[in-house]
Each structure stands twice: as C-alpha cells, then as structure tokens.
Amino acid sequence: MPQPATQTIVNKLCHIALGANATSSIGTPLLTIKGVILSLADDSLSISKVSRFYATPAFPAGSGPDFVNAVLEARTSLSATDLLARLHHVEAELGRERHERWGARVIDLDLLSYGDLIYPDRESFAYWFDLPLEAQKQTAPEGLILPHPRIQDRAFVLGPLCDIAPDWHHPVLGRSARELFDALPLEDRESLKPLKES
C-alpha cells in the first residue's frame, strides 16, 4: 500500500554529542541536556538510544567548570546540513554564543556522524583531521565536516558513544568506537565519571 505523501520517512542513522558546563534557562547543565534531548525528538529525528550522562573535565584542562556530556543515536529524514542547522538553532535558542573557542557554554551540540558520509570530501576532512592542536585552539571549520574530525581524540565523546554504539565504525579510520576509546591514554579514559542522576 502506498505511503501517504505527507508521512516523513526517517532513514539515516546519526550520532549527536551533547555537552554543557554553564546554567541555561532550563537549569543546570544536566537538566539542560535532558531538556534538549526531549526537544530534539520529533517527526524528523527519531531518537533510539541515549548514553549515560558523564561529568568530564573541561577541555583544554583548566578552561572552565566540569562538563556534563552524553551522546544520542537517532534516525533522521533531514539532510546532514539541515540537521546541523537545526542543532545550531537549538544552541542559539538557549543563548549559546560562539565567541571563545572551547569556552564555557550552556549547550554544545555536535553532529558526530551521518551514516558513513564523509563530508564535504576526503580532502576537507583530512585538513581538519590533521590540524595541529595549537591551530585547533584558534580556528574552527565554517561548514560541516563529517565525521566530526575530533571524535578519535575525545574520551568525553567516545565513552558515551561506546555506551550506545560500541561497534560504530569510523568511515575513514575503519576502527570501532570501542577500539578508538581503548586507544586513548588511560588518564583520559579515567576522567569520565558517570553521574548518579543518569
């Protein structure tokens, strides 16, 4: 039987990282992340899994209060660029301002993956993937880069991702989330502290 023309077809698997370390209009960082997860679920984004919530040190070290971090898995009918625009809209509604690189924030939403898409191309991904740390502190891509070029570096992303998708494979590196997490320094892995509220 044909589908009604108005029905949304939700079909692309994606992963979104959430982080906060400043109070928002919703409340504490934990309450903010929980509220954002509820607000994101609609006809265009069907959330299937949410990781535990973690307390993690601000990055770089000493740059602010601890973060609350989580990762969700969803299926979406939006294009990758439209999904990113929606995430940026949610950030703006909560007062996120992008003045200071890696500064305190009321909410940070990062599109980690969108199927196995490498966007906009391998060359652009490679540029941001290979960018030295000092350069990362000064600049960020103006457009979408997929997969997120810092996934493999960040325990606060890989730890929660392993909760819900340990077998997710990086489309460029060819390694699973679990393999990437296990390759991180022990100090980074042990910096993740599951929150009792989760």
Side-chain angles (χ1 to χ4, degrees), residues 70-85:
V71 170
L72 66 82
E73 180 176 278
R75 288 193 172 271
T76 184
S77 59
L78 297 173
S79 69
T81 52
D82 285 348
L83 179 54
L84 181 66

Side-chain angles (χ1 to χ4, degrees), residues 39-95:
S39 72
L40 284 173
D42 66 8
D43 288 345
S44 67
L45 191 75
S46 176
I47 297 173
S48 54
K49 298 177 184 177
V50 178
S51 74
R52 291 177 289 174
F53 299 95
Y54 291 86
T56 62
F59 180 83
S63 62
D66 284 356
F67 272 81
V68 175
N69 287 100
V71 170
L72 66 82
E73 180 176 278
R75 288 193 172 271
T76 184
S77 59
L78 297 173
S79 69
T81 52
D82 285 348
L83 179 54
L84 181 66
R86 182 171 176 213
L87 298 181
H88 285 174
H89 178 73
V90 171
E91 289 179 336
E93 282 190 324
L94 286 172

Side-chain angles (χ1 to χ4, degrees), residues 36 64 78 83 128 137 140 144 167:
V36 166
L78 297 173
L83 179 54
W128 291 102
K137 292 178 181 179
L144 177 63
D167 296 326

Side-chain angles (χ1 to χ4, degrees), residues 38-197:
L38 290 174
S39 72
L40 284 173
D42 66 8
D43 288 345
S44 67
L45 191 75
S46 176
I47 297 173
S48 54
K49 298 177 184 177
V50 178
S51 74
R52 291 177 289 174
F53 299 95
Y54 291 86
T56 62
F59 180 83
S63 62
D66 284 356
F67 272 81
V68 175
N69 287 100
V71 170
L72 66 82
E73 180 176 278
R75 288 193 172 271
T76 184
S77 59
L78 297 173
S79 69
T81 52
D82 285 348
L83 179 54
L84 181 66
R86 182 171 176 213
L87 298 181
H88 285 174
H89 178 73
V90 171
E91 289 179 336
E93 282 190 324
L94 286 172
R96 166 79 188 273
E97 296 180 350
R98 296 175 178 271
H99 298 313
E100 181 185 354
R101 186 83 169 122
W102 294 335
R105 59 207 69 180
V106 293
I107 190 66
D108 187 19
L109 300 173
D110 285 327
L111 181 56
L112 300 176
S113 70
Y114 183 88
D116 59 0
L117 180 64
I118 301 167
Y119 186 89
D121 50 55
R122 283 185 176 268
E123 292 75 18
S124 298
F125 172 83
Y127 172 84
W128 291 102
F129 180 87
D130 293 332
L131 201 67
L133 180 60
E134 286 307 310
Q136 294 174 35
K137 292 178 181 179
Q138 303 300 323
T139 185
E142 293 185 5
L144 177 63
I145 305 294
L146 286 172
H148 192 289
R150 301 272 70 84
I151 290 174
Q152 67 286 340
D153 302 331
R154 296 178 173 174
F156 62 82
V157 169
L158 287 169
L161 184 59
C162 285
D163 279 352
I164 59 173
D167 296 326
W168 172 82
H169 267 71
H170 194 291
V172 177
L173 300 178
R175 301 172 72 189
S176 70
R178 175 58 63 191
E179 289 171 329
L180 292 170
F181 182 73
D182 289 346
L184 292 173
L186 179 62
E187 180 182 3
D188 290 359
R189 287 180 277 139
E190 290 183 341
S191 70
L192 292 172
K193 307 297 182 187
L195 292 176
K196 293 179 181 178
E197 291 92 336

Side-chain angles (χ1 to χ4, degrees), residues 20-42:
N21 72 336
T23 300
S24 75
S25 58
I26 296 175
T28 66
L30 179 61
L31 289 175
T32 299
I33 288 178
K34 288 182 174 182
V36 166
I37 290 169
L38 290 174
S39 72
L40 284 173
D42 66 8

